[in-house]
Amino acid sequence: MRIGDAAAAAGTTPRALRFYEQRGLLHPPARSASGQREYGPDDVARVRVIRQLLAVGLTVDDLASRAHRLDLLGQDPPVRCSGAPGPDTFAPVVHARLAALDAEIDRLTALRARLARHIATGGADVPAEA
């Protein structure tokens, strides 16, 4: 199927498919005689996996580090992700992303507390240059 049809089947856009290919998340597709990209059902399944993983908070860079493992998650039935650490598993990537999210939550919580104090004190507790 052509790029527009594959994108629609995966619930995304042709631009996203080209981006995933550029970033190494999607294998370069076969080309028709006229040079158009041709996608199959396995490509659509892989794009769906990519979109699901992005939706739960992983980044494109996170996925790129384990791109060679994405096909396992698109199998029917999908291979379950183990929480066991290993250099070739998603566990280290997931744990690193959780740590980054926790750090960002801590940063935002502190920022919120500072703003709340600022409002409560009329700005008396915050230096003028901040």
Side-chain angles (χ1 to χ4, degrees):
M1 68 185 84
R2 291 176 32 188
I3 193 168
D5 297 328
T12 192
T13 63
R15 184 177 179 182
L17 294 186
R18 288 188 292 272
F19 175 74
Y20 297 155
E21 180 185 342
Q22 177 187 22
R23 296 301 303 269
L25 301 180
L26 192 58
H27 303 298
R31 298 280 183 153
S32 69
S34 62
Q36 292 182 327
R37 290 172 169 88
E38 292 286 336
Y39 296 91
D42 291 342
D43 298 312
V44 172
R46 186 178 177 105
V47 171
R48 286 183 181 145
V49 167
I50 291 166
R51 291 181 46 78
Q52 289 170 351
L53 294 172
L54 292 172
V56 299
L58 294 176
T59 67
V60 170
D61 289 336
D62 292 335
L63 299 183
S65 73
R66 298 296 189 275
H68 61 286
R69 306 282 293 172
L70 291 173
D71 288 332
L72 296 174
L73 301 176
Q75 293 177 356
D76 188 20
V79 174
R80 294 192 51 86
C81 290
S82 156
D88 203 36
T89 69
F90 272 95
V93 173
V94 171
H95 291 296
R97 178 59 41 215
L98 288 170
L101 289 171
D102 288 340
E104 182 67 3
I105 289 168
D106 291 345
R107 186 188 72 79
L108 290 172
T109 300
L111 183 61
R112 185 195 183 287
R114 183 175 178 187
L115 180 59
R117 277 193 315 274
H118 179 71
I119 291 170
T121 63
D125 70 326
V126 179
E129 68 273 1

